[in-house]
Amino acid sequence: MHPILTPLLLSLKIAICATLISLACGVVTGYLLARCRFPGRALLDTLLTLPLVMPPTVLGYYLLVLFGRHSAFGGWLDAHGIHLVFTWQGAVVAAAVVAFPLIAKPARAAFEQVDPQLEAAARCLGLGHTAVFWRVTLPLAWRGILAGTLLAFARALGEFGATLMLAGSIPGKTQTLSIAIYEAVQAGRDSDANGMVLLISAVCITVLLSVGTLAAGNIPRRGLR
């Protein structure tokens, strides 16, 4: 198998799984922060945003401590046969944590832009809260959520520091494309590094263009006639 193909397929698998986890958690969190008022809301929002500004290696260290066998939580997981350290599942967790704010923040902004009067009108027509969410709120907020999802996928695909700390670099098991690039450069395999860099750059450019298109389509056009 081509040396680029194995880390590419692994990176795609990890990025897709991490994006799905981040999407589910980010939509729920964004909705709660947009619609609910509770003590500590600002602090919670700050804590959930930390992965955007915290150095990935520091975040990876926290995850390693949390899921390591010497911690209470890590020991509980190990006793139940769940192993995340130095596994591809651990790489998924690391990528999901890093990508989560990129979905939660746009989702919150998208939900805040939905007119509450539309939701109230739907409830007056007999729809329950769950039906209002699926039939009114989410369809009106989908552009912002999709833009965040694309950004989260690109971030998960290129994740390096947290993944290396938690999952390590095991060829064929946890060595993602970003880690493979680093090790190819260290080993002097410039041709392999160039190919992988061009590949991941093309993916990131495509994602950014898609996000720009979605953002342009979501600009209000009131008054433009």
Side-chain angles (χ1 to χ4, degrees), residues 8 11-12 15 102 147-160 177-178 181 195-213:
L8 172 61
S11 295
L12 288 174
L102 293 173
T149 302
L150 292 174
L151 289 175
F153 174 77
R155 183 67 184 85
L157 186 65
E159 165 53 30
F160 176 79
L177 197 60
S178 297
I181 291 171
M196 289 184 285
V197 165
L198 290 175
L199 181 61
I200 200 167
S201 298
V203 172
C204 292
I205 290 172
T206 303
V207 168
L208 290 176
L209 288 174
S210 301
V211 171
T213 301

Side-chain angles (χ1 to χ4, degrees), residues 82-183:
I82 302 174
H83 309 289
L84 295 178
V85 180
F86 301 126
T87 65
W88 74 269
Q89 292 90 343
V92 170
V93 172
V97 170
V98 171
F100 167 78
L102 293 173
I103 295 181
K105 301 294 283 188
R108 177 185 177 181
F111 287 132
E112 287 177 341
Q113 291 177 2
V114 176
D115 190 348
Q117 293 183 354
L118 296 176
E119 297 173 321
R123 285 191 289 269
C124 289
L125 293 174
L127 293 181
H129 289 284
T130 303
V132 169
F133 176 80
W134 288 106
R135 298 176 62 177
V136 178
T137 310
L138 191 60
L140 292 174
W142 75 270
R143 282 184 180 274
I145 295 173
L146 180 57
T149 302
L150 292 174
L151 289 175
F153 174 77
R155 183 67 184 85
L157 186 65
E159 165 53 30
F160 176 79
T163 300
L164 186 61
M165 291 290 291
L166 183 62
S169 177
I170 305 174
K173 293 184 178 180
T174 65
Q175 188 183 75
T176 61
L177 197 60
S178 297
I179 297 175
I181 291 171
Y182 173 79
E183 296 196 349

